[in-house]
Amino acid sequence: MFFNIDERGDVTCGGASIAAFPRPAYDSGWRAIGANSTLNLTHNLGRDADKYVVDLSCKHASYGRHNWGLGGDVNSPDSYGVYWLNLTTTAIQVHRNNTDGECPEIRVRIWMYP
């Protein structure tokens, strides 16, 4: 069975299969982000942000896809990793810390539930 979630969060299903996995309502794709910078992403989902589930992933040329440093880490005077903030009904921000060397690309996916 295949599930489809439209931009309003409505779910429809069909097809034949033994398992299903929903698609995110928003997918930023892989985006470059510089050290000590904030990336503003517009998703325009327009629903209650308390009903969003956010997935943040990193990608590095040598390490591939990973989640090292998610949420950020401070080891004075250095700070590593990335984290998301300011989630609203239409946008989200991702910040990369100033001495991070592990997350030059990020991907944000957002799922919604009723």
Side-chain angles (χ1 to χ4, degrees), residues 23 27 36 42-43 50 61 63 65 69 86 92 95 97 101 111 114:
R23 291 184 302 225
D27 187 336
N36 199 34
T42 303
H43 56 72
D50 286 337
Y63 313 131
R65 294 179 178 122
N86 295 328
I92 187 171
H95 181 77
N97 285 322
W111 282 262

Side-chain angles (χ1 to χ4, degrees), residues 42-64:
T42 303
H43 56 72
N44 285 324
L45 295 176
R47 306 257 344 246
D48 181 357
D50 286 337
K51 296 184 177 185
Y52 295 164
V53 177
V54 177
D55 171 48
L56 173 61
S57 301
C58 298
K59 186 164 71 169
H60 187 278
S62 298
Y63 313 131

Side-chain angles (χ1 to χ4, degrees), residues 13-47:
C13 58
S17 183
I18 59 171
F21 191 77
R23 291 184 302 225
Y26 171 78
D27 187 336
S28 69
W30 290 105
R31 305 283 300 267
I33 184 170
N36 199 34
S37 65
T38 300
L39 186 61
N40 298 300
L41 301 171
T42 303
H43 56 72
N44 285 324
L45 295 176
R47 306 257 344 246

